[in-house]
Amino acid sequence: MSNSKLYKGSLNTIILKLLNEHDKMYGYEITQKVKALTKGELKITEGALYPALHKLEAEGLLDVEVAKVDNRLRKYYKLTETGTKETVNKLEELAEYIKTMQALVNPKLV
């Protein structure tokens, strides 16, 4: 997918969903998981990921744990209770949006 603008509006939802499924993850792990799940179609850059993670943390949706791994500090992100609830809302919103877009793009399938 060459147009990264298509997924930018969904980036927070993607992050929340992954963290909901995997308990806690660090930034690079999130980028690699998205890349693997989409067979390389979506590539989240650090420049997009980290501002989104920081925003979600500031909104109280994520907690951060710092752990020492191979003599380096690694930040792990995990959902707060509020983040878990918001994940459900965001996934419902995204599903409704996809359904609406499908109706516009290919009404025969709806």
Side-chain angles (χ1 to χ4, degrees):
M1 184 176 297
S2 61
N3 192 348
S4 63
K5 291 178 186 172
L6 289 175
Y7 78 82
K8 280 187 182 174
S10 304
L11 182 56
N12 288 349
T13 306
I14 292 167
I15 293 168
L16 293 172
K17 179 165 184 354
L18 286 174
L19 291 173
N20 194 47
E21 293 174 348
H22 298 281
D23 188 38
K24 66 181 182 178
M25 299 175 83
Y26 56 96
Y28 181 74
E29 183 180 16
I30 293 170
T31 64
Q32 295 308 296
K33 189 68 172 174
V34 169
K35 188 175 174 183
L37 288 170
T38 64
K39 296 178 175 62
E41 289 294 315
L42 277 184
K43 295 179 183 120
I44 298 175
T45 64
E46 289 181 14
L49 177 66
Y50 289 102
L53 287 169
H54 296 153
K55 183 174 184 278
L56 291 169
E57 181 186 1
E59 291 173 354
L61 303 178
L62 300 183
D63 274 335
V64 177
E65 287 179 10
V66 179
K68 196 169 190 174
V69 178
D70 297 328
N71 269 348
R72 295 179 56 202
L73 293 180
R74 180 179 285 170
K75 279 188 176 183
Y76 285 93
Y77 298 89
K78 65 181 190 172
L79 293 177
T80 61
E81 188 176 325
T82 305
T84 301
K85 292 175 187 171
E86 186 63 16
T87 300
V88 173
N89 295 335
K90 291 285 190 188
L91 289 172
E92 287 173 359
E93 285 175 11
L94 183 58
E96 192 59 38
Y97 177 75
I98 291 169
K99 185 177 166 186
T100 301
M101 291 305 294
Q102 187 64 47
L104 287 170
V105 174
N106 199 349
K108 293 175 191 170
L109 294 179
V110 178

